[in-house]
Amino acid sequence: MASPVKITLLADNTASLETLAEHGLSMLIESGGRRVLFDTGQGKVLRHNLDALGISLAPLDAIVLSHGHYDHTGGLADAIEFGLPDAIYFHPAAVAPKFVSTRAAQPRSIGMPPSALDALSRFRGRIVHTSHPTEIVPGIWCTGEIPRSQPLDDARNIFFLDSQCKQPDPLADDQALVIQTPRGLVVAAGCTHSGVEDTLAQINRVSGCKPIHAVIGGLHLGDASADQLDSAARAIRNAQCEFIAACHCTSLAAQAYLRNHLPERNR
């Protein structure tokens, strides 16, 4: 039988009375006596927020990285030090160099910072690669690489694998975490670079279409068009998801859109 789950947001773009904010995401998931850290934020607020919330990461069964961007991996060295996890789970492509380029800014590196890569090199014996759906602990699993229903739109893509920004990054490392609960599946999303629709479709394939109770995390809808917002809302509605807590890269405008179009599901 699935266990109740507790999810504590340790880093996000929005501050609270207790916690500081940064552009990043980290959440601690506790279920059935197991403790899993999903992402580590940039690392600028993790230590402060743990202290402010009175939370110790130790003991920690696992760290799972949603993908290799700095705002999800920058706190990895501290997280390993604080939590001493049994294992670290991520897609092999997460450690590849990553860059972003837009018309408004010069190309810049957004991959794992050196501190995270160094920490992984010293933790090599307990790394688990997640190209495919993988159980993390009983009742918690990750999607692995998410098949895309649409090919990468190179004209709109701002993510690259090289500093010259000539080789688009397909973001194959993007994955979500899924927790079994008595009320259905809870989806913890890092950035949902694969799209809300394809992410939920992958979860349906792997779970055998088990009910999805909640989606929590970043939905990467900051610059989404009206059609893209409508498609994301429709996918959440079709999944009969009962609860949404969209944060991090979702954007206030997209949060407002989802609240207006799915009012009974937003918190």
Side-chain angles (χ1 to χ4, degrees):
M1 180 178 177
S3 302
V5 61
K6 178 182 179 181
I7 299 178
T8 305
L9 206 58
L10 300 179
D12 182 41
N13 295 34
T14 304
S16 71
L17 292 176
E18 296 87 8
T19 59
L20 299 178
E22 67 179 8
H23 177 76
L25 184 70
S26 178
M27 58 182 84
L28 178 64
I29 298 164
E30 300 173 271
S31 178
R34 302 301 187 105
R35 305 175 86 235
V36 175
L37 183 67
F38 183 58
D39 285 345
T40 67
Q42 286 192 44
K44 297 178 180 179
V45 304
L46 183 62
R47 184 188 299 267
H48 173 277
N49 290 350
L50 285 168
D51 290 342
L53 294 170
I55 293 175
S56 171
L57 284 185
L60 196 60
D61 292 284
I63 294 174
V64 181
L65 302 177
S66 64
H67 61 301
H69 286 166
Y70 75 101
D71 51 326
H72 297 260
T73 64
L76 184 58
D78 281 345
I80 291 174
E81 177 187 347
F82 300 158
L84 292 174
D86 292 340
I88 301 176
Y89 296 75
F90 58 88
H91 188 284
V95 297
K98 294 177 179 292
F99 298 85
V100 64
S101 177
T102 65
R103 293 180 180 178
Q106 293 294 316
R108 62 186 176 92
S109 173
I110 57 168
M112 282 194 194
S115 62
L117 293 170
D118 180 64
L120 286 178
S121 71
R122 291 182 281 109
F123 210 76
R124 190 173 294 125
R126 286 181 279 177
I127 288 174
V128 180
H129 286 153
T130 56
S131 299
H132 306 284
T134 304
E135 183 181 67
I136 308 302
V137 297
I140 301 179
W141 51 275
C142 65
T143 61
E145 187 171 334
I146 297 171
R148 310 289 177 90
S149 61
Q150 298 293 327
L152 187 70
D153 183 355
D154 291 351
R156 295 186 64 255
N157 185 52
I158 63 171
F159 299 109
F160 298 87
L161 294 171
D162 63 311
S163 59
Q164 292 76 37
C165 297
K166 294 182 178 180
Q167 185 179 356
D169 185 355
L171 291 165
D173 46 324
D174 176 68
Q175 61 180 349
L177 198 67
V178 183
I179 308 108
Q180 296 175 209
T181 80
R183 300 185 65 177
L185 302 179
V186 172
V187 179
C191 266
T192 324
H193 284 293
S194 302
V196 174
E197 305 91 329
D198 285 343
T199 297
L200 295 180
Q202 170 74 343
I203 292 167
N204 280 334
R205 280 190 293 270
V206 177
S207 71
C209 294
K210 289 183 179 178
I212 295 176
H213 169 61
V215 175
I216 300 171
L219 302 184
H220 200 65
L221 296 172
D223 60 351
S225 66
D227 286 345
Q228 290 169 325
L229 288 169
D230 180 68
S231 180
R234 186 166 57 251
I236 293 169
R237 185 184 298 110
N238 290 344
Q240 299 183 328
C241 176
E242 300 174 9
F243 179 97
I244 308 168
C247 58
H248 179 43
C249 57
T250 306
S251 86
L252 288 176
Q255 288 174 355
Y257 183 97
L258 294 175
R259 181 175 293 278
N260 288 334
H261 287 75
L262 302 168
E264 73 284 2
R265 294 171 168 84
N266 280 272
R267 298 295 187 273

